[in-house]
Amino acid sequence: MSVNKKRGRATTGRFATREELTCHVWSIYRQQVFPNIRSVAGACGVRMEVVKAIVQTEEGLNEYLASGCPTGAP
């Protein structure tokens, strides 16, 4: 496996794209499905730092608010 594929998987977890990941992070986070960022990260298959960065920068939040997203992994 190439370095890029490893890096991509580390930032998208169980999802095919970063957009899918951010959508699910916001869905889970805003609905308080899990009690903390560590649990959200585990559910999405990424490191806690990835979820923390998404939340702090509000990455994908506007898209989530505009169109919604189902909770859970694909």
Side-chain angles (χ1 to χ4, degrees):
M1 185 181 290
S2 75
V3 172
N4 290 338
K5 286 186 180 183
K6 285 183 182 179
R7 173 175 272 178
R9 197 38 75 209
T11 60
T12 61
R14 298 181 178 140
F15 304 96
T17 66
R18 181 75 173 191
E19 291 78 18
E20 287 179 14
L21 170 64
T22 59
C23 181
H24 281 78
V25 165
W26 284 114
S27 182
I28 292 168
Y29 183 76
R30 288 180 54 86
Q31 293 179 39
Q32 298 180 343
V33 174
F34 294 106
N36 56 45
I37 289 177
R38 183 182 307 273
S39 298
V40 173
C44 293
V46 294
R47 294 184 328 255
M48 187 174 67
E49 293 80 13
V50 173
V51 174
K52 188 174 180 181
I54 290 169
V55 172
Q56 286 179 337
T57 63
E58 297 184 350
E59 178 184 348
L61 178 58
N62 290 334
E63 292 82 0
Y64 167 75
L65 293 174
S67 62
C69 184
T71 58

